[in-house]
Amino acid sequence: MLLFFLFFLLCHFPIGTTILAPMKIAVVSGYGSLEPEMQIQLQNSLKWFQSSFLVEKSKTPVEIQDIYQRIPEYQKFSSILVQTPIHRQNMKFQDLKTLLEIADFTVFVVAQDPKKCQRDPDLLAEALPIVLVPDERPPLAMMSICLQNNPRHQNPSLDSRFFYDLFRHEILHGLGYGLIIDKSSITHKPSEKYIWNHSNGLGQPENRHFLDFDTFALEFTKKHFSCEKMKGVEADGERKNHLNEYIFGNELMTTHLEATGNIFSWISVGIIERTFNGPNQWYHINRTFISTEADQYSYGKKFGCDFLQKSCHDFIKITEKRSPTLNIAPFCSKNHNHMCYRIPSSEKLYKMSDKDCEMRRVIGAGIDKGGEQRRCPMIKHFPAKFEFFSCPPPPGG
Ligand SMILES: *[C@@H]1O[C@H](CO)[C@@H](O)[C@H](O)[C@H]1NC(C)=O
Ligand SMILES: *[C@@H]1O[C@H](CO)[C@@H](O)[C@H](O)[C@H]1NC(C)=O
Ligand SMILES: [Zn+2]
């Protein structure tokens, strides 16, 4: 029974009446291995899922017939590659039965759509959850990868950690993040209209959309942004699949991944834990394990309601006047002129006043209905990680 050793032997932790255990996860492919560094990062992402997610064992095992029915292209494969957090192994398709009995969640790599990948060069991968029993967590997902859009082909120096974030992002979708709809509508929030004031003072009507399943996340999000009247967790657009890129920056579940790494924050912890239909929570996150990463999330910290509800131009003007000590990097502010920053663990100090501003398109905003592009003054070449403080007085001065 080789299969048993594909997974760690795991102990079980009772919480109330349910028994939660680390989620046993596997990725199955009929298309062989990915490029080596991609495959390694896929494996690392699976390790991360198994360490962060606790689930209850499903009472209804997945059958081979379910695979044939829901992922028809797997009818043609006689052998498959199985990747788990600790092993990679080729096996006969028939042996999949045992794997499906053991695994809590299995992702099937499916063929990419070359036309779709070509149309959108930014499209790297897509994943979809497959629910088999209504109101139960999806035991399966499909994932397609646009190999031709591999950003490393353009930029060979890109850190392979990028793929780790890519697979974490996609498999989170596979588990339902942003893709499962709240059937009860309990957490659904209506979209709202507002005016985005441009730098020339012209106002542009815009829509704000909110993610479903934000009841757990909202408390933390309010505190993070220091905005008690925050209505909901702003989504990328009408489809409500992601966190809004403009508001949430380098969070893992925004629309764009950063070359410098993305963070799975307490906001996403709250969203995925509340992502369930029916009476029972599907996913529990191991807080001990996740806190090292989640505590690092600092984008937009204490920016306040003006950041969430107004344009960047209004936000910058208001904070320049009312909050002289607030650090609003990466946005430009006159208040930064007396500030310095340092890359963590480096001694060298940089003066903010030496940094230029540039007008940059705010990604992910205004994409709805081909909305006009919105631009914001951002600090040029600003590092993603920095320590910010008042500049020390000049020596001898
Ligand atoms: C949660 O994570 C911590 C740190 O990795 C680990 O020691 C602990 O056993 C995990 N708890 C569960 C219930 O898996
Ligand atoms: C946009 O600008 C107008 C005029 O300066 C101002 O009254 C209004 O409050 C601004 N809108 C927002 C959402 O801040
Ligand atoms: Zn996505």
Side-chain angles (χ1 to χ4, degrees), residues 2 45 57 88 120 138 147-148 150 166 187 195 214 225 229 235 239 264 267 283 287 289 292 325 342 344 350 383 390:
L2 234 177
S45 77
K57 188 95 202 138
R88 185 176 315 147
D120 182 0
L147 294 171
Q148 68 201 71
N150 183 342
L166 175 65
T187 69
I195 302 290
D214 69 358
F225 290 102
K229 62 180 180 191
R239 286 183 303 175
F264 183 72
I267 301 169
Y283 308 114
R287 289 177 157 57
F289 176 79
T292 328
T325 55
R342 172 168 66 195
Y350 299 88
S390 291

PDB file of all heavy atoms in Angstrom, residues 2 45 57 88 120 138 147-148 150 166 187 195 214 225 229 235 239 264 267 283 287 289 292 325 342 344 350 383 390:
ATOM      1  N   LEU A   2       1.557   1.389  -1.097  1.00  0.00           N
ATOM      2  CA  LEU A   2       2.446   2.537  -1.261  1.00  0.00           C
ATOM      3  C   LEU A   2       1.732   3.865  -0.995  1.00  0.00           C
ATOM      4  O   LEU A   2       2.291   4.791  -0.442  1.00  0.00           O
ATOM      5  CB  LEU A   2       2.953   2.540  -2.697  1.00  0.00           C
ATOM      6  CG  LEU A   2       4.471   2.588  -2.866  1.00  0.00           C
ATOM      7  CD1 LEU A   2       4.829   2.508  -4.314  1.00  0.00           C
ATOM      8  CD2 LEU A   2       5.056   3.817  -2.198  1.00  0.00           C
ATOM      9  N   SER A  45       3.647  24.357  -2.352  1.00  0.00           N
ATOM     10  CA  SER A  45       2.332  24.932  -2.060  1.00  0.00           C
ATOM     11  C   SER A  45       1.436  23.874  -1.402  1.00  0.00           C
ATOM     12  O   SER A  45       0.660  24.190  -0.506  1.00  0.00           O
ATOM     13  CB  SER A  45       1.689  25.525  -3.317  1.00  0.00           C
ATOM     14  OG  SER A  45       1.156  24.515  -4.132  1.00  0.00           O
ATOM     15  N   LYS A  57     -13.148  14.801   7.707  1.00  0.00           N
ATOM     16  CA  LYS A  57     -13.172  13.787   6.645  1.00  0.00           C
ATOM     17  C   LYS A  57     -14.568  13.744   6.017  1.00  0.00           C
ATOM     18  O   LYS A  57     -15.568  13.744   6.719  1.00  0.00           O
ATOM     19  CB  LYS A  57     -12.823  12.421   7.251  1.00  0.00           C
ATOM     20  CG  LYS A  57     -12.636  11.325   6.242  1.00  0.00           C
ATOM     21  CD  LYS A  57     -11.161  11.142   5.873  1.00  0.00           C
ATOM     22  CE  LYS A  57     -11.005  10.451   4.526  1.00  0.00           C
ATOM     23  NZ  LYS A  57      -9.949  11.058   3.688  1.00  0.00           N
ATOM     24  N   ARG A  88       6.146  12.344  -5.310  1.00  0.00           N
ATOM     25  CA  ARG A  88       5.680  12.450  -6.698  1.00  0.00           C
ATOM     26  C   ARG A  88       5.792  11.049  -7.282  1.00  0.00           C
ATOM     27  O   ARG A  88       6.803  10.384  -7.090  1.00  0.00           O
ATOM     28  CB  ARG A  88       6.607  13.404  -7.452  1.00  0.00           C
ATOM     29  CG  ARG A  88       6.201  13.704  -8.861  1.00  0.00           C
ATOM     30  CD  ARG A  88       7.154  14.742  -9.444  1.00  0.00           C
ATOM     31  NE  ARG A  88       7.378  15.820  -8.470  1.00  0.00           N
ATOM     32  CZ  ARG A  88       8.515  16.486  -8.354  1.00  0.00           C
ATOM     33  NH1 ARG A  88       9.540  16.217  -9.129  1.00  0.00           N
ATOM     34  NH2 ARG A  88       8.645  17.435  -7.457  1.00  0.00           N
ATOM     35  N   ASP A 120      -5.054  36.632 -23.457  1.00  0.00           N
ATOM     36  CA  ASP A 120      -4.710  37.333 -22.225  1.00  0.00           C
ATOM     37  C   ASP A 120      -3.337  36.868 -21.729  1.00  0.00           C
ATOM     38  O   ASP A 120      -3.232  35.897 -21.005  1.00  0.00           O
ATOM     39  CB  ASP A 120      -5.788  37.041 -21.165  1.00  0.00           C
ATOM     40  CG  ASP A 120      -5.526  37.784 -19.881  1.00  0.00           C
ATOM     41  OD1 ASP A 120      -4.520  38.516 -19.811  1.00  0.00           O
ATOM     42  OD2 ASP A 120      -6.320  37.617 -18.934  1.00  0.00           O
ATOM     43  N   PRO A 138     -16.081  21.222  -1.651  1.00  0.00           N
ATOM     44  CA  PRO A 138     -15.684  20.554  -2.894  1.00  0.00           C
ATOM     45  C   PRO A 138     -14.526  19.599  -2.624  1.00  0.00           C
ATOM     46  O   PRO A 138     -13.528  20.012  -2.050  1.00  0.00           O
ATOM     47  CB  PRO A 138     -15.225  21.719  -3.790  1.00  0.00           C
ATOM     48  CG  PRO A 138     -14.952  22.863  -2.868  1.00  0.00           C
ATOM     49  CD  PRO A 138     -15.813  22.659  -1.663  1.00  0.00           C
ATOM     50  N   LEU A 147       0.994  27.490 -19.904  1.00  0.00           N
ATOM     51  CA  LEU A 147       2.464  27.335 -19.887  1.00  0.00           C
ATOM     52  C   LEU A 147       3.148  28.357 -20.784  1.00  0.00           C
ATOM     53  O   LEU A 147       4.238  28.826 -20.486  1.00  0.00           O
ATOM     54  CB  LEU A 147       2.828  25.913 -20.314  1.00  0.00           C
ATOM     55  CG  LEU A 147       2.382  24.824 -19.332  1.00  0.00           C
ATOM     56  CD1 LEU A 147       2.574  23.441 -19.934  1.00  0.00           C
ATOM     57  CD2 LEU A 147       3.133  24.944 -18.011  1.00  0.00           C
ATOM     58  N   GLN A 148       2.483  28.729 -21.869  1.00  0.00           N
ATOM     59  CA  GLN A 148       3.105  29.670 -22.814  1.00  0.00           C
ATOM     60  C   GLN A 148       3.248  31.070 -22.210  1.00  0.00           C
ATOM     61  O   GLN A 148       4.039  31.871 -22.686  1.00  0.00           O
ATOM     62  CB  GLN A 148       2.272  29.746 -24.109  1.00  0.00           C
ATOM     63  CG  GLN A 148       0.905  30.399 -23.906  1.00  0.00           C
ATOM     64  CD  GLN A 148      -0.092  30.030 -25.002  1.00  0.00           C
ATOM     65  OE1 GLN A 148      -0.571  28.906 -25.085  1.00  0.00           O
ATOM     66  NE2 GLN A 148      -0.372  30.987 -25.865  1.00  0.00           N
ATOM     67  N   ASN A 150       4.229  31.669 -19.158  1.00  0.00           N
ATOM     68  CA  ASN A 150       5.182  31.600 -18.043  1.00  0.00           C
ATOM     69  C   ASN A 150       6.016  32.885 -17.977  1.00  0.00           C
ATOM     70  O   ASN A 150       6.793  33.171 -18.887  1.00  0.00           O
ATOM     71  CB  ASN A 150       6.088  30.380 -18.261  1.00  0.00           C
ATOM     72  CG  ASN A 150       7.066  30.175 -17.129  1.00  0.00           C
ATOM     73  OD1 ASN A 150       7.318  31.090 -16.340  1.00  0.00           O
ATOM     74  ND2 ASN A 150       7.617  28.972 -17.046  1.00  0.00           N
ATOM     75  N   LEU A 166       1.557  31.538  -7.034  1.00  0.00           N
ATOM     76  CA  LEU A 166       0.590  31.251  -8.097  1.00  0.00           C
ATOM     77  C   LEU A 166      -0.243  30.015  -7.745  1.00  0.00           C
ATOM     78  O   LEU A 166      -1.469  30.034  -7.823  1.00  0.00           O
ATOM     79  CB  LEU A 166       1.318  31.042  -9.430  1.00  0.00           C
ATOM     80  CG  LEU A 166       0.447  30.614 -10.618  1.00  0.00           C
ATOM     81  CD1 LEU A 166      -0.543  31.709 -11.003  1.00  0.00           C
ATOM     82  CD2 LEU A 166       1.300  30.237 -11.820  1.00  0.00           C
ATOM     83  N   THR A 187     -24.479  36.723   3.556  1.00  0.00           N
ATOM     84  CA  THR A 187     -23.303  37.595   3.579  1.00  0.00           C
ATOM     85  C   THR A 187     -23.221  38.494   2.348  1.00  0.00           C
ATOM     86  O   THR A 187     -22.274  39.253   2.203  1.00  0.00           O
ATOM     87  CB  THR A 187     -22.001  36.758   3.674  1.00  0.00           C
ATOM     88  OG1 THR A 187     -21.821  36.050   2.434  1.00  0.00           O
ATOM     89  CG2 THR A 187     -22.062  35.746   4.809  1.00  0.00           C
ATOM     90  N   ILE A 195     -18.191  58.348  -6.459  1.00  0.00           N
ATOM     91  CA  ILE A 195     -17.489  59.209  -7.417  1.00  0.00           C
ATOM     92  C   ILE A 195     -15.992  59.139  -7.156  1.00  0.00           C
ATOM     93  O   ILE A 195     -15.538  59.330  -6.028  1.00  0.00           O
ATOM     94  CB  ILE A 195     -17.957  60.682  -7.276  1.00  0.00           C
ATOM     95  CG1 ILE A 195     -19.470  60.811  -7.491  1.00  0.00           C
ATOM     96  CG2 ILE A 195     -17.175  61.591  -8.223  1.00  0.00           C
ATOM     97  CD1 ILE A 195     -19.926  60.580  -8.921  1.00  0.00           C
ATOM     98  N   ASP A 214     -17.886  37.646   3.864  1.00  0.00           N
ATOM     99  CA  ASP A 214     -16.892  38.503   4.520  1.00  0.00           C
ATOM    100  C   ASP A 214     -17.142  38.678   6.020  1.00  0.00           C
ATOM    101  O   ASP A 214     -16.457  39.461   6.670  1.00  0.00           O
ATOM    102  CB  ASP A 214     -16.820  39.867   3.832  1.00  0.00           C
ATOM    103  CG  ASP A 214     -18.080  40.695   4.053  1.00  0.00           C
ATOM    104  OD1 ASP A 214     -19.020  40.193   4.703  1.00  0.00           O
ATOM    105  OD2 ASP A 214     -18.120  41.840   3.581  1.00  0.00           O
ATOM    106  N   PHE A 225      -7.424  48.682   8.484  1.00  0.00           N
ATOM    107  CA  PHE A 225      -7.492  49.975   7.786  1.00  0.00           C
ATOM    108  C   PHE A 225      -7.898  51.117   8.713  1.00  0.00           C
ATOM    109  O   PHE A 225      -7.965  52.258   8.265  1.00  0.00           O
ATOM    110  CB  PHE A 225      -8.460  49.891   6.604  1.00  0.00           C
ATOM    111  CG  PHE A 225      -7.945  49.046   5.475  1.00  0.00           C
ATOM    112  CD1 PHE A 225      -8.405  47.756   5.285  1.00  0.00           C
ATOM    113  CD2 PHE A 225      -6.973  49.531   4.611  1.00  0.00           C
ATOM    114  CE1 PHE A 225      -7.917  46.971   4.251  1.00  0.00           C
ATOM    115  CE2 PHE A 225      -6.477  48.759   3.576  1.00  0.00           C
ATOM    116  CZ  PHE A 225      -6.950  47.468   3.395  1.00  0.00           C
ATOM    117  N   LYS A 229     -16.503  52.105   9.998  1.00  0.00           N
ATOM    118  CA  LYS A 229     -17.751  52.075   9.214  1.00  0.00           C
ATOM    119  C   LYS A 229     -17.608  51.314   7.892  1.00  0.00           C
ATOM    120  O   LYS A 229     -18.507  51.350   7.064  1.00  0.00           O
ATOM    121  CB  LYS A 229     -18.253  53.505   8.975  1.00  0.00           C
ATOM    122  CG  LYS A 229     -17.303  54.358   8.188  1.00  0.00           C
ATOM    123  CD  LYS A 229     -17.854  55.774   7.980  1.00  0.00           C
ATOM    124  CE  LYS A 229     -16.837  56.561   7.172  1.00  0.00           C
ATOM    125  NZ  LYS A 229     -17.080  57.979   7.103  1.00  0.00           N
ATOM    126  N   ALA A 235     -14.236  43.867  -3.572  1.00  0.00           N
ATOM    127  CA  ALA A 235     -13.853  42.836  -4.535  1.00  0.00           C
ATOM    128  C   ALA A 235     -13.246  43.482  -5.775  1.00  0.00           C
ATOM    129  O   ALA A 235     -13.266  44.700  -5.938  1.00  0.00           O
ATOM    130  CB  ALA A 235     -15.063  41.999  -4.913  1.00  0.00           C
ATOM    131  N   ARG A 239     -17.548  40.277 -10.749  1.00  0.00           N
ATOM    132  CA  ARG A 239     -17.484  38.831 -10.596  1.00  0.00           C
ATOM    133  C   ARG A 239     -17.160  38.401  -9.169  1.00  0.00           C
ATOM    134  O   ARG A 239     -17.402  37.268  -8.794  1.00  0.00           O
ATOM    135  CB  ARG A 239     -16.463  38.251 -11.580  1.00  0.00           C
ATOM    136  CG  ARG A 239     -17.008  38.272 -13.000  1.00  0.00           C
ATOM    137  CD  ARG A 239     -16.039  37.651 -13.957  1.00  0.00           C
ATOM    138  NE  ARG A 239     -14.748  38.325 -13.917  1.00  0.00           N
ATOM    139  CZ  ARG A 239     -13.676  37.928 -14.584  1.00  0.00           C
ATOM    140  NH1 ARG A 239     -13.720  36.843 -15.300  1.00  0.00           N
ATOM    141  NH2 ARG A 239     -12.551  38.600 -14.517  1.00  0.00           N
ATOM    142  N   PHE A 264      -0.600  35.787   2.387  1.00  0.00           N
ATOM    143  CA  PHE A 264      -1.916  35.269   2.785  1.00  0.00           C
ATOM    144  C   PHE A 264      -2.210  35.892   4.150  1.00  0.00           C
ATOM    145  O   PHE A 264      -1.589  35.539   5.145  1.00  0.00           O
ATOM    146  CB  PHE A 264      -1.847  33.745   2.866  1.00  0.00           C
ATOM    147  CG  PHE A 264      -3.155  33.065   3.196  1.00  0.00           C
ATOM    148  CD1 PHE A 264      -4.184  32.999   2.263  1.00  0.00           C
ATOM    149  CD2 PHE A 264      -3.357  32.472   4.434  1.00  0.00           C
ATOM    150  CE1 PHE A 264      -5.381  32.350   2.570  1.00  0.00           C
ATOM    151  CE2 PHE A 264      -4.549  31.822   4.742  1.00  0.00           C
ATOM    152  CZ  PHE A 264      -5.556  31.765   3.801  1.00  0.00           C
ATOM    153  N   ILE A 267      -7.135  38.602   6.451  1.00  0.00           N
ATOM    154  CA  ILE A 267      -8.354  38.902   5.675  1.00  0.00           C
ATOM    155  C   ILE A 267      -8.762  37.654   4.891  1.00  0.00           C
ATOM    156  O   ILE A 267      -9.911  37.216   4.940  1.00  0.00           O
ATOM    157  CB  ILE A 267      -8.107  40.098   4.727  1.00  0.00           C
ATOM    158  CG1 ILE A 267      -7.706  41.339   5.548  1.00  0.00           C
ATOM    159  CG2 ILE A 267      -9.328  40.383   3.854  1.00  0.00           C
ATOM    160  CD1 ILE A 267      -7.182  42.505   4.726  1.00  0.00           C
ATOM    161  N   TYR A 283     -13.676  24.804   6.251  1.00  0.00           N
ATOM    162  CA  TYR A 283     -12.229  24.925   6.442  1.00  0.00           C
ATOM    163  C   TYR A 283     -11.910  25.636   7.750  1.00  0.00           C
ATOM    164  O   TYR A 283     -12.551  26.619   8.100  1.00  0.00           O
ATOM    165  CB  TYR A 283     -11.604  25.735   5.299  1.00  0.00           C
ATOM    166  CG  TYR A 283     -11.963  25.230   3.928  1.00  0.00           C
ATOM    167  CD1 TYR A 283     -12.749  26.009   3.069  1.00  0.00           C
ATOM    168  CD2 TYR A 283     -11.530  23.983   3.490  1.00  0.00           C
ATOM    169  CE1 TYR A 283     -13.089  25.546   1.798  1.00  0.00           C
ATOM    170  CE2 TYR A 283     -11.865  23.516   2.223  1.00  0.00           C
ATOM    171  CZ  TYR A 283     -12.646  24.311   1.385  1.00  0.00           C
ATOM    172  OH  TYR A 283     -12.982  23.853   0.139  1.00  0.00           O
ATOM    173  N   ARG A 287      -4.068  28.640  13.088  1.00  0.00           N
ATOM    174  CA  ARG A 287      -3.603  30.014  13.351  1.00  0.00           C
ATOM    175  C   ARG A 287      -2.145  30.066  13.760  1.00  0.00           C
ATOM    176  O   ARG A 287      -1.427  31.001  13.432  1.00  0.00           O
ATOM    177  CB  ARG A 287      -4.481  30.665  14.413  1.00  0.00           C
ATOM    178  CG  ARG A 287      -5.834  30.967  13.841  1.00  0.00           C
ATOM    179  CD  ARG A 287      -6.829  31.541  14.797  1.00  0.00           C
ATOM    180  NE  ARG A 287      -7.839  32.269  14.046  1.00  0.00           N
ATOM    181  CZ  ARG A 287      -8.603  31.760  13.084  1.00  0.00           C
ATOM    182  NH1 ARG A 287      -8.471  30.484  12.751  1.00  0.00           N
ATOM    183  NH2 ARG A 287      -9.480  32.491  12.458  1.00  0.00           N
ATOM    184  N   PHE A 289       0.231  28.120  12.756  1.00  0.00           N
ATOM    185  CA  PHE A 289       1.077  27.971  11.576  1.00  0.00           C
ATOM    186  C   PHE A 289       1.046  29.230  10.705  1.00  0.00           C
ATOM    187  O   PHE A 289       2.076  29.670  10.196  1.00  0.00           O
ATOM    188  CB  PHE A 289       0.642  26.750  10.749  1.00  0.00           C
ATOM    189  CG  PHE A 289       1.419  26.606   9.467  1.00  0.00           C
ATOM    190  CD1 PHE A 289       2.700  26.065   9.486  1.00  0.00           C
ATOM    191  CD2 PHE A 289       0.899  27.047   8.262  1.00  0.00           C
ATOM    192  CE1 PHE A 289       3.437  25.962   8.303  1.00  0.00           C
ATOM    193  CE2 PHE A 289       1.633  26.944   7.079  1.00  0.00           C
ATOM    194  CZ  PHE A 289       2.903  26.398   7.104  1.00  0.00           C
ATOM    195  N   THR A 292       2.863  33.568  11.291  1.00  0.00           N
ATOM    196  CA  THR A 292       4.147  34.125  10.849  1.00  0.00           C
ATOM    197  C   THR A 292       3.967  34.886   9.542  1.00  0.00           C
ATOM    198  O   THR A 292       4.501  35.974   9.368  1.00  0.00           O
ATOM    199  CB  THR A 292       5.181  32.994  10.605  1.00  0.00           C
ATOM    200  OG1 THR A 292       4.915  31.953  11.502  1.00  0.00           O
ATOM    201  CG2 THR A 292       6.586  33.496  10.719  1.00  0.00           C
ATOM    202  N   THR A 325       1.798  62.503  10.214  1.00  0.00           N
ATOM    203  CA  THR A 325       2.776  61.443  10.504  1.00  0.00           C
ATOM    204  C   THR A 325       2.417  60.104   9.864  1.00  0.00           C
ATOM    205  O   THR A 325       3.166  59.137   9.988  1.00  0.00           O
ATOM    206  CB  THR A 325       2.896  61.207  12.025  1.00  0.00           C
ATOM    207  OG1 THR A 325       1.596  60.930  12.535  1.00  0.00           O
ATOM    208  CG2 THR A 325       3.483  62.418  12.724  1.00  0.00           C
ATOM    209  N   ARG A 342      14.425  52.093   5.262  1.00  0.00           N
ATOM    210  CA  ARG A 342      15.541  51.164   5.238  1.00  0.00           C
ATOM    211  C   ARG A 342      14.974  49.801   4.854  1.00  0.00           C
ATOM    212  O   ARG A 342      13.866  49.457   5.264  1.00  0.00           O
ATOM    213  CB  ARG A 342      16.126  51.131   6.646  1.00  0.00           C
ATOM    214  CG  ARG A 342      17.161  50.101   6.903  1.00  0.00           C
ATOM    215  CD  ARG A 342      17.857  50.350   8.220  1.00  0.00           C
ATOM    216  NE  ARG A 342      16.942  50.187   9.351  1.00  0.00           N
ATOM    217  CZ  ARG A 342      17.187  50.619  10.579  1.00  0.00           C
ATOM    218  NH1 ARG A 342      18.278  51.314  10.842  1.00  0.00           N
ATOM    219  NH2 ARG A 342      16.335  50.409  11.549  1.00  0.00           N
ATOM    220  N   PRO A 344      14.598  46.074   5.480  1.00  0.00           N
ATOM    221  CA  PRO A 344      14.832  45.314   6.708  1.00  0.00           C
ATOM    222  C   PRO A 344      16.173  44.579   6.639  1.00  0.00           C
ATOM    223  O   PRO A 344      16.535  44.070   5.587  1.00  0.00           O
ATOM    224  CB  PRO A 344      13.666  44.324   6.751  1.00  0.00           C
ATOM    225  CG  PRO A 344      12.606  44.930   5.906  1.00  0.00           C
ATOM    226  CD  PRO A 344      13.294  45.765   4.874  1.00  0.00           C
ATOM    227  N   TYR A 350      17.690  55.482   3.399  1.00  0.00           N
ATOM    228  CA  TYR A 350      17.311  56.243   2.212  1.00  0.00           C
ATOM    229  C   TYR A 350      16.369  57.351   2.624  1.00  0.00           C
ATOM    230  O   TYR A 350      15.484  57.139   3.448  1.00  0.00           O
ATOM    231  CB  TYR A 350      16.602  55.354   1.193  1.00  0.00           C
ATOM    232  CG  TYR A 350      17.440  54.217   0.674  1.00  0.00           C
ATOM    233  CD1 TYR A 350      17.457  53.000   1.353  1.00  0.00           C
ATOM    234  CD2 TYR A 350      18.195  54.358  -0.483  1.00  0.00           C
ATOM    235  CE1 TYR A 350      18.225  51.938   0.882  1.00  0.00           C
ATOM    236  CE2 TYR A 350      18.965  53.305  -0.956  1.00  0.00           C
ATOM    237  CZ  TYR A 350      18.970  52.099  -0.273  1.00  0.00           C
ATOM    238  OH  TYR A 350      19.721  51.043  -0.736  1.00  0.00           O
ATOM    239  N   PRO A 383      10.700  49.785  -2.566  1.00  0.00           N
ATOM    240  CA  PRO A 383      10.743  48.348  -2.264  1.00  0.00           C
ATOM    241  C   PRO A 383       9.435  47.887  -1.610  1.00  0.00           C
ATOM    242  O   PRO A 383       8.746  48.679  -0.970  1.00  0.00           O
ATOM    243  CB  PRO A 383      11.914  48.232  -1.274  1.00  0.00           C
ATOM    244  CG  PRO A 383      12.011  49.569  -0.643  1.00  0.00           C
ATOM    245  CD  PRO A 383      11.540  50.573  -1.654  1.00  0.00           C
ATOM    246  N   SER A 390      11.133  58.633  10.948  1.00  0.00           N
ATOM    247  CA  SER A 390      11.608  59.998  10.780  1.00  0.00           C
ATOM    248  C   SER A 390      13.118  59.971  10.615  1.00  0.00           C
ATOM    249  O   SER A 390      13.809  59.242  11.334  1.00  0.00           O
ATOM    250  CB  SER A 390      11.277  60.839  12.019  1.00  0.00           C
ATOM    251  OG  SER A 390       9.896  61.024  12.087  1.00  0.00           O
TER     252      SER A 390
END
